[in-house]
Amino acid sequence: MKISKPYLIVGQGVAGTVLAHHFLQANIPFQIWDSPIHFNSSYAAGGIFNPVTGRKLEKTWLADELFDYLFPFYQQLEKTLNASFFYPMPLFRPFANAEMKQWLLDRKSEINHDFLTWTDDGVWVKQAGWVDVASLLRHSKNYFEKQGIYAAKTFQVADAMDFEGVIFCEGFHATQNPLWNKLPFLPAKGELIRFQSNEPSRDCILNKNGFILPLPDGAFKVGATYRWDEFTQTPTASSREELFGKLTSMGVSNYELLDTYVGIRPATQDRRPFVGMLSGNNRGIFNGFGSKGVSLSPYFAHTFTQDILGEKELQADVSIRRYSHLFSV
Ligand SMILES: Cc1cc2nc3c(=O)[nH]c(=O)nc-3n(C[C@H](O)[C@H](O)[C@H](O)COP(=O)(O)OP(=O)(O)OC[C@H]3O[C@@H](n4cnc5c(N)ncnc54)[C@H](O)[C@@H]3O)c2cc1C
């Protein structure tokens, strides 16, 4: 593949960061810009990756492929950046009540899969854990700066002509970009809090209508809320009450509130990411990772890179080409 000008990656959230590391690996020349005037939702993320979802303990979409890919990816990236931010950790899902326990046990043979270990009180989920996203982004930014490929700049339309292609990794802000605002995003504001307590376990992530995550500094995080009615960066009293309620329902009564984090998940109506270059145009997108940026972005950065290199076409259900009718003039 012959590339005369560099690519531009717009946005250094988890999506832009993970894509940039794949471009470095593939020797695709690029710059990465991150806007000093837009907020970044990745800093609010709990960073959890969890291959099990829903009442019926199903495997998440593409769990086998995603989780086989993400472990070596983040482990290698820790070495490259000489930093620690990847924390595999067992996740425990207690049965909600006796009735639910019986309901699940009656269906155990249909439900069971390799990610689950059953106990009397609930199920353990294997291959779960969390990424310290703030640390990943900070170390990556330093790494990109040292290579002279990072700038704290906001993309303007006229910038596009200097680049082979521009790939927008703007998270929620894509909903305000005239190029992408017709896409069926379904953003969801979320909050979580960091707290101090002696009560929760330090050995696992507890997952019961929310999560409690033990942090290396001795504190914990509890999350997360979802709302679809407003998209400001302001924490709300009602979300805080909801998070306190989650703590109570997970058996934590004594705690001290340390911090509140707010972000907006770039979720999509069809619950699939938006990935790929527009045809006949040098604009592309890597977005729509919703509440799963940490587990989805590595695998799809890999497949997007293969698509750009002409090695393998992107799978249809994530490709932006499924919305090509929105971009025809
Ligand atoms: C409370 C909460 C908890 C969450 N917990 C988890 C979790 O446990 N696990 C998980 O996987 N996910 C979690 N998420 C979801 C996760 O945060 C998102 O999937 C992820 O942040 C999306 O990353 P992004 O890079 O697409 O967007 P962002 O992180 O928002 O990054 C976009 C970047 O683009 C920049 N930008 C925008 N426009 C421009 C422009 N014109 N020029 C230059 N730069 C621009 C912005 O400054 C920003 O830095 C959570 C989210 C919230 C809100």
Side-chain angles (χ1 to χ4, degrees):
M1 180 195 185
K2 196 170 170 303
I3 300 174
S4 46
K5 293 190 265 186
Y7 277 82
L8 177 64
I9 295 177
V10 178
Q12 201 235 324
V14 72
T17 300
V18 167
L19 185 64
H21 285 296
H22 281 79
F23 275 20
L24 279 173
Q25 189 71 33
N27 287 319
I28 299 175
F30 71 96
Q31 292 186 23
I32 178 164
W33 293 359
D34 195 56
S35 167
I37 56 171
H38 292 80
F39 60 82
N40 171 309
S41 293
S42 297
Y43 280 101
I48 292 171
F49 49 91
N50 173 11
V52 171
T53 187
R55 241 162 51 101
K56 286 159 83 181
L57 306 171
E58 284 160 314
K59 284 191 202 183
T60 56
W61 173 61
L62 283 184
D64 294 318
E65 290 85 345
L66 298 179
F67 283 74
D68 278 358
Y69 188 80
L70 80 80
F71 273 73
F73 168 73
Y74 284 117
Q75 281 160 342
Q76 179 54 47
L77 195 53
E78 285 192 315
K79 290 190 189 131
T80 305
L81 299 178
N82 193 20
S84 299
F85 46 78
F86 182 62
Y87 298 96
M89 187 178 275
L91 180 145
F92 187 63
R93 273 188 60 160
F95 297 124
N97 49 46
E99 197 187 0
M100 192 62 197
K101 175 178 175 177
Q102 198 52 53
W103 189 87
L104 286 165
L105 290 176
D106 290 344
R107 289 158 185 79
K108 186 174 167 184
S109 58
E110 313 152 29
I111 289 175
N112 201 23
H113 50 75
D114 289 350
F115 290 110
L116 298 177
T117 307
W118 299 71
T119 74
D120 256 4
D121 306 320
V123 290
W124 287 96
V125 177
K126 290 177 242 175
Q127 285 192 261
W130 67 287
V131 169
D132 182 342
V133 177
S135 169
L136 163 66
L137 298 195
R138 270 195 311 271
H139 283 98
S140 296
K141 180 182 166 197
N142 293 342
Y143 188 73
F144 301 147
E145 271 176 334
K146 280 196 191 119
Q147 307 200 24
I149 54 174
Y150 174 89
K153 271 171 94 166
T154 304
F155 173 82
Q156 309 292 338
V157 177
D159 296 320
M161 66 179 82
D162 299 330
F163 297 94
E164 173 78 21
V166 182
I167 300 171
F168 292 86
C169 307
E170 298 174 290
F172 165 73
H173 303 285
T175 63
Q176 276 126 36
N177 180 337
L179 186 61
W180 306 113
N181 64 7
K182 290 194 212 78
L183 283 171
F185 278 100
L186 186 63
K189 178 173 174 176
E191 294 185 33
L192 61 79
I193 56 186
R194 196 167 72 90
F195 67 98
Q196 199 77 55
S197 174
N198 293 325
E199 293 179 352
S201 164
R202 298 217 53 82
D203 302 327
C204 67
I205 300 167
L206 182 62
N207 180 201
K208 189 182 170 195
N209 187 27
F211 64 82
I212 293 179
L213 171 66
L215 303 170
D217 65 0
F220 296 87
K221 280 182 177 169
V222 60
T225 60
Y226 284 78
R227 59 188 292 177
W228 294 269
D229 56 339
E230 57 97 1
F231 301 116
T232 65
Q233 275 294 90
T234 316
T236 58
S238 60
S239 294
R240 187 162 61 174
E241 284 311 310
E242 189 183 331
L243 291 168
F244 290 164
K246 285 185 192 292
L247 279 178
T248 309
S249 75
M250 287 189 271
V252 180
S253 49
N254 287 309
Y255 53 85
E256 180 197 346
L257 171 64
L258 299 175
D259 290 305
T260 303
Y261 300 85
V262 186
I264 302 174
R265 304 170 183 89
T268 66
Q269 288 177 23
D270 67 3
R271 303 165 73 96
R272 297 291 176 261
F274 300 141
V275 181
M277 303 302 293
L278 292 178
S279 49
N281 191 315
N282 74 339
R283 318 285 159 91
I285 188 163
F286 191 61
N287 202 329
F289 296 107
S291 57
K292 296 195 171 73
V294 163
S295 52
L296 294 176
S297 61
Y299 180 76
F300 289 114
H302 171 61
T303 55
F304 189 15
T305 305
Q306 286 181 315
D307 185 75
I308 288 174
L309 292 172
E311 291 172 0
K312 194 174 169 196
E313 211 171 290
L314 271 170
Q315 63 184 102
D317 53 354
V318 302
S319 171
I320 195 62
R321 285 165 214 143
R322 73 193 188 278
Y323 291 112
S324 55
H325 56 283
L326 299 177
F327 299 97
S328 51
V329 275

